């Protein structure tokens, strides 16, 4: 059994000191690892990142994160990443990591992801350079996510961690007009082709928790305003995860 | 006004709703701290001077999930 705690959109500010920690006091009793699905800070200010690391220090379990769009706002995302990693929070962008929890090997591949929209209503790599750049950015990140997932072949449980949404279903009551800025079907293709058992994302505050990719992979939107808790826990019965999707 | 509110450096709360009427501005949604709830009123007053501000936001504590509430995936 492996238990995965996950939350996104913590949006730590310099005034968050002492406010986040109480929500994670028992997380190590309830989970084997903690996934953070981006927007860890309000504006990507390094001081905000430091507050987050203080709040999540000593939680007693491995912490793995992707950054979100808010973490890029100040243009200091490299510094934010460095602060998180110095505090022991592993940050993934087109990368993967493997943890061993009680004999179960769980692999996590992560990417911020990006927008573009969903099948039938998506941006295309055509026209102005700005539009091409927008779509190509998503294509690049989705491609890297798929590669990172494929690197995990052989683990017992494979999880895709993103900030942007891979499917429409978890966008819930977000306005239809902003769907292209909330996620992309290209991320779902990466999840499916990479053989993930679970896809986790945040970003859509007015979204819904549960969805599924076209290939049948469960998708969970763990944006804190959606789950309305400090985190949620998803458990896998170890090696059966691979067997169930074989 | 909503865009200006959610990007106010004192707030940066994404989950606000704003309704502007002739003499009154109603702000709803969720905020994470009492300080940010108070800041909603201040920021709204600055954005809409002279209007009555009805701050209907709710402070939502992010508690840990109930024990045994895990979702079993496979």
């Amino acid at each position: 059994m492996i238990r995965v705690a996950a939350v996104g959109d913590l949006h730590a500010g310099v005034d968050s000191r002492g406010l986040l920690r109480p929500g994670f006091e028992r997380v190590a009793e309830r989970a084997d690892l903690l996934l953070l699905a981006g927007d860890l800070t309000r504006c990507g200010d390094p001081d905000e990142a430091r507050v987050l690391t203080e709040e999540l220090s000593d939680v007693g379990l491995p912490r793995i994160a992707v950054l979100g769009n808010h973490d890029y706002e100040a243009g200091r995302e490299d510094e934010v990443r460095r602060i998180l990693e110095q505090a022991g929070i592993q940050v993934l962008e087109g990368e993967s990591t493997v943890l061993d929890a009680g004999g179960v090997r769980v692999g996590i591949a992560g990417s911020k992801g990006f927008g573009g929209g969903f099948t039938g209503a998506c941006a295309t790599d055509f026209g102005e350079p700005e539009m091409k750049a927008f779509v190509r950015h998503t294509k690049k990140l989705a491609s890297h996510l798929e590669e990172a997932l494929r690197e995990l072949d052989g683990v017992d449980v494979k999880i895709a961690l993103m900030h942007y949404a891979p499917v429409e279903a978890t966008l819930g009551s977000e306005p239809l007009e902003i769907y292209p800025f909330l996620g992309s079907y290209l991320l779902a293709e990466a999840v499916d082709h990479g053989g993930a058992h679970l896809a986790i994302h945040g970003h859509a505050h007015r979204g819904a928790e549960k969805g599924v990719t076209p290939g049948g992979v469960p998708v969970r939107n763990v944006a804190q305003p959606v789950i309305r808790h400090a985190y949620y826990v998803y458990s896998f019965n170890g090696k059966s995860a691979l067997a169930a999707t074989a | 006004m909503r865009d200006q509110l959610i990007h106010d450096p004192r707030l940066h709360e994404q989950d606000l709703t704003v309704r502007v009427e002739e003499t009154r501005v109603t702000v709803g949604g969720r905020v994470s701290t009492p300080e940010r709830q108070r800041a909603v009123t201040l920021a709204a007053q600055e954005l809409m001077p002279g209007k009555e501000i009805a701050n209907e936001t709710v402070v939502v504590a992010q508690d840990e999930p109930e024990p045994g509430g895990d979702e079993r995936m496979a």
Side-chain angles (χ1 to χ4, degrees), chain A residues 117-180:
Chain A
F118 300 91
T119 306
C122 57
T124 56
D125 185 0
F126 181 87
E128 302 93 324
E130 291 83 0
M131 180 58 78
K132 289 176 179 169
F134 180 83
V135 175
R136 287 174 185 172
H137 183 58
T138 308
K139 283 185 172 177
K140 182 180 81 172
L141 297 189
S143 170
H144 291 174
L145 177 64
E146 182 178 332
E147 289 169 20
L149 282 164
R150 289 185 187 279
E151 286 172 8
L152 295 170
D153 285 348
V155 301
D156 299 309
V157 176
K158 196 189 281 195
I159 298 172
L161 176 63
M162 297 157 281
H163 180 60
Y164 283 77
V167 295
E168 294 167 89
T170 49
L171 300 185
S173 58
E174 292 282 4
L176 192 60
E177 292 85 350
I178 66 168
Y179 274 26

Side-chain angles (χ1 to χ4, degrees), chain B:
Chain B
M1 180 176 173
R2 180 180 174 274
D3 280 352
Q4 289 177 285
L5 263 187
I6 66 175
H7 292 120
D8 187 295
R10 295 164 291 188
L11 300 176
H12 270 291
E13 291 284 358
Q14 301 292 301
D15 303 310
L16 297 178
T17 60
V18 178
R19 188 173 69 244
V20 181
E21 295 165 300
E22 194 171 343
T23 59
R24 178 184 170 99
V25 175
T26 305
V27 185
R30 293 168 290 190
V31 294
S32 52
T33 69
E35 290 76 17
R36 291 188 198 179
Q37 188 180 43
R38 285 192 285 274
V40 164
T41 302
L42 190 62
Q45 283 170 337
E46 290 172 5
L47 286 169
M48 291 291 210
K51 286 193 186 288
E52 177 194 350
I53 307 299
N55 183 347
E56 297 181 355
T57 58
V58 177
V59 178
V60 179
Q62 307 299 350
D63 298 326
E64 293 193 84
E66 294 297 319
D70 304 12
E71 182 184 355
R72 291 181 177 268
M73 302 307 295

Side-chain angles (χ1 to χ4, degrees), chain A residues 167-236:
Chain A
V167 295
E168 294 167 89
T170 49
L171 300 185
S173 58
E174 292 282 4
L176 192 60
E177 292 85 350
I178 66 168
Y179 274 26
F181 306 106
L182 297 176
S184 167
Y185 77 98
L186 295 169
L187 299 171
E189 288 187 348
V191 167
D192 284 342
H193 297 161
H197 300 110
L198 173 65
I200 296 282
H201 75 89
H203 193 43
H205 289 207
R206 283 175 277 183
E209 188 207 351
K210 296 183 180 180
V212 65
T213 67
V217 178
V219 178
R220 297 293 180 265
N221 176 0
V222 296
Q224 202 165 55
V226 172
I227 62 174
R228 299 192 184 201
H229 285 86
Y231 56 86
Y232 262 7
V233 179
Y234 304 97
S235 61
F236 292 85

Side-chain angles (χ1 to χ4, degrees), chain A:
Chain A
M1 171 76 79
I2 178 131
R3 302 162 302 165
V4 179
V7 64
D9 304 79
L10 289 171
H11 290 283
V14 290
D15 62 349
S16 299
R17 190 169 278 114
L19 298 175
L20 299 175
R21 180 183 286 269
F24 294 92
E25 282 181 350
R26 295 182 186 83
V27 65
E29 300 167 18
R30 297 179 181 177
D32 301 296
L33 67 149
L34 173 62
L35 303 182
L36 302 168
D39 277 5
L40 312 174
T41 64
R42 283 197 220 165
C43 300
D45 186 313
D47 286 340
E48 296 171 347
R50 288 188 189 94
V51 169
L52 181 82
T53 61
E54 290 165 16
E55 293 296 295
L56 296 183
S57 66
D58 305 324
V59 291
L61 76 178
R63 296 149 298 162
I64 296 137
V66 294
L67 300 184
N69 55 309
H70 277 246
D71 305 315
Y72 280 72
E73 167 59 18
R76 301 174 74 179
E77 61 274 9
D78 291 342
E79 202 175 339
V80 167
R81 177 173 180 155
R82 191 163 55 249
I83 289 164
L84 296 172
E85 292 189 328
Q86 284 172 348
I89 299 174
Q90 189 170 3
V91 180
L92 303 176
E93 181 47 70
E95 299 154 297
S96 63
T97 189
V98 179
L99 303 172
D100 188 306
V104 177
R105 296 179 72 237
V106 56
I108 300 106
S111 174
K112 173 181 65 66
F114 199 48
F118 300 91
T119 306
C122 57
T124 56
D125 185 0
F126 181 87
E128 302 93 324
E130 291 83 0
M131 180 58 78
K132 289 176 179 169
F134 180 83
V135 175
R136 287 174 185 172
H137 183 58
T138 308
K139 283 185 172 177
K140 182 180 81 172
L141 297 189
S143 170
H144 291 174
L145 177 64
E146 182 178 332
E147 289 169 20
L149 282 164
R150 289 185 187 279
E151 286 172 8
L152 295 170
D153 285 348
V155 301
D156 299 309
V157 176
K158 196 189 281 195
I159 298 172
L161 176 63
M162 297 157 281
H163 180 60
Y164 283 77
V167 295
E168 294 167 89
T170 49
L171 300 185
S173 58
E174 292 282 4
L176 192 60
E177 292 85 350
I178 66 168
Y179 274 26
F181 306 106
L182 297 176
S184 167
Y185 77 98
L186 295 169
L187 299 171
E189 288 187 348
V191 167
D192 284 342
H193 297 161
H197 300 110
L198 173 65
I200 296 282
H201 75 89
H203 193 43
H205 289 207
R206 283 175 277 183
E209 188 207 351
K210 296 183 180 180
V212 65
T213 67
V217 178
V219 178
R220 297 293 180 265
N221 176 0
V222 296
Q224 202 165 55
V226 172
I227 62 174
R228 299 192 184 201
H229 285 86
Y231 56 86
Y232 262 7
V233 179
Y234 304 97
S235 61
F236 292 85
N237 193 17
K239 298 182 187 302
S240 68
L242 277 180
T245 56

